[in-house]
């Protein structure tokens, strides 16, 4: 069984951990890692190869915030894929940014579109292009399944002071993937499940560079202090631990399409 995994934001943080854990779990896997940090992508590839000498890794250097060029850059990647070679396809929307951690009234106007484009618009475009391409190339093949994963957050369902753009982006992404699940619910594969499913996975408060940014730049003092205490008390989640849980969820494949599942859920 060969798995295809396309992961955006694969150059560091949770994207890197997830790529490594997928390659650890699945001996035969082909990964496309998308990101704009060439050295970071190379490091992820090296870590994968150390874990799994059978894995195939392709790094795709791309700026997902450059909306005007996104289609012309992604389409050749999709056109290179023969889905019939794989038993399952994972399309993982992991990329994103925090944006300015300040109150709505203080947001720099110039930053609003930039952040929404990266965190929302690019995800809509990527999903649109992938679903369109997947459906056109797998027509008649009811045994090929695709799962689109959105790396979500508690911030998608709970408001945080000074996280206006981040919460808005995460919430929009969750709804997008729920809609994709709804639109594809009646397209059933040979296993009796929808051919295209989606999952919103909230990985928990990860001990990554993004957490450092929150502790150093969040305008809201109590929020900043809360995460500083979590770091001090070693309560932040190791990215690899959370990645392993996501791999397990995907492997058992018993989740409801469109569901929002948190790392702390039992």
């Amino acid at each position: 069984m060969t798995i295809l995994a396309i992961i955006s934001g694969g150059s560091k943080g949770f994207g890197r951990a997830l790529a490594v854990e997928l390659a650890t779990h699945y001996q035969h896997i082909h990964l496309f890692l998308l990101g704009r940090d060439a050295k970071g992508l190379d490091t992820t590839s090296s870590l994968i190869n150390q874990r799994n000498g059978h894995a195939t890794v392709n790094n795709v250097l791309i700026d997902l915030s450059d909306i005007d060029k996104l289609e012309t850059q992604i389409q050749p990647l999709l056109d290179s894929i023969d889905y019939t070679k794989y038993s399952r396809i994972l399309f993982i929307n992991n990329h994103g940014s925090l944006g300015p951690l300040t109150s709505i009234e203080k947001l720099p106007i110039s930053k609003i579109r930039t952040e929404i484009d990266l965190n929302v618009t690019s995800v809509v475009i990527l999903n649109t292009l992938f679903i369109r391409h997947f459906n056109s190339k797998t027509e008649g093949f009811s045994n090929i399944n695709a799962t689109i994963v959105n790396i979500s957050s508690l911030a998608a369902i709970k408001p945080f002071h000074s996280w206006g753009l981040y919460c808005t982006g995460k919430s929009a992404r969750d709804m997008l993937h729920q809609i994709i699940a709804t639109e594809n619910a009646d397209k059933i594969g040979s296993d009796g499940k929808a051919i295209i499913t989606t999952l919103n996975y909230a990985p928990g408060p990860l001990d990554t560079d993004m957490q450092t940014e929150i502790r150093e730049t969040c305008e809201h003092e109590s929020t900043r202090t809360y995460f500083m205490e979590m770091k001090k008390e070693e309560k932040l989640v190791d990215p690899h631990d959370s990645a392993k849980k996501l791999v397990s969820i995907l492997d058992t494949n018993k989740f409801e399409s469109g569901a929002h599942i948190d790392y702390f859920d039992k």
Side-chain angles (χ1 to χ4, degrees):
M1 180 173 70
T2 303
I3 301 291
L4 171 66
I6 303 170
I7 305 175
S8 66
S11 63
K12 62 180 181 179
F14 187 70
R16 172 179 290 170
L18 180 56
V20 170
E21 295 304 331
L22 281 168
T24 302
H25 188 79
Y26 295 107
Q27 182 178 19
H28 300 290
I29 186 168
H30 184 180
L31 298 110
F32 284 92
L33 305 178
L34 281 58
R36 54 186 173 187
D37 179 357
K39 289 185 178 179
L41 291 174
D42 287 342
T43 298
T44 304
S45 297
S46 178
L47 291 170
I48 290 169
N49 290 327
Q50 289 174 26
R51 291 281 189 98
N52 182 353
H54 298 282
T56 301
V57 185
N58 291 94
N59 292 340
V60 182
L61 195 62
I62 184 170
D63 182 356
L64 294 169
S65 69
D66 193 347
I67 298 302
D68 293 335
K69 297 180 180 178
L70 194 50
E71 181 176 2
T72 57
Q73 290 183 312
I74 289 297
Q75 197 61 54
L77 182 158
L78 295 174
D79 289 339
S80 72
I81 298 172
D82 180 359
Y83 298 107
T84 63
K85 292 182 178 179
Y86 307 103
S87 57
R88 190 178 185 191
I89 291 87
L90 302 174
F91 192 83
I92 302 168
N93 292 298
N94 168 70
H95 69 283
S97 63
L98 282 169
L101 297 178
T102 187
S103 60
I104 296 296
E105 69 171 321
K106 295 179 182 178
L107 283 175
I109 299 301
S110 61
K111 285 282 189 179
I112 296 174
R113 181 175 178 180
T114 302
E115 294 299 321
I116 294 297
D117 275 352
L118 175 61
N119 293 307
V120 181
T121 309
S122 68
V123 179
V124 179
I125 293 172
L126 289 174
N127 283 342
T128 298
L129 293 173
F130 170 71
I131 294 169
R132 183 183 298 162
H133 189 266
F134 177 81
N135 283 337
S136 69
K137 297 299 182 181
T138 60
E139 188 174 359
F141 293 89
S142 61
N143 62 329
I144 304 174
N145 299 310
T147 299
I148 302 173
V149 181
N150 170 45
I151 302 307
S152 184
S153 169
L154 179 61
I157 59 175
K158 177 182 178 179
F160 284 82
H161 193 295
S162 300
W163 289 24
L165 286 179
Y166 186 72
C167 289
T168 298
K170 287 298 187 183
S171 180
R173 284 167 64 148
D174 263 37
M175 180 55 70
L176 171 67
H177 289 79
Q178 290 178 55
I179 291 169
I180 294 171
T182 298
E183 292 177 346
N184 289 275
D186 60 347
K187 301 169 185 176
I188 307 301
S190 58
D191 61 356
K193 298 180 179 179
I195 292 174
I196 296 178
T197 56
T198 70
L199 172 65
N200 293 300
Y201 177 71
L206 300 173
D207 194 4
T208 61
D209 291 343
M210 187 173 282
Q211 256 296 323
T212 302
E213 186 178 349
I214 293 170
R215 296 193 302 273
E216 292 179 351
T217 68
C218 185
E219 175 187 78
H220 192 235
E221 183 176 356
S222 63
T223 301
R224 192 171 65 249
T225 301
Y226 172 74
F227 286 111
M228 289 174 69
E229 288 298 316
M230 288 193 74
K231 175 66 174 179
K232 182 179 178 180
E233 296 172 9
E234 300 183 343
K235 292 182 178 180
L236 296 177
V237 178
D238 185 303
H240 284 271
D241 289 341
S242 188
K244 288 175 183 176
K245 176 159 185 175
L246 175 54
V247 171
S248 176
I249 292 169
L250 293 171
D251 192 52
T252 54
N253 201 21
K254 293 181 179 179
F255 58 88
E256 179 183 355
S257 184
H260 177 105
I261 299 178
D262 193 278
Y263 170 75
F264 294 106
D265 291 344
K266 301 298 183 182

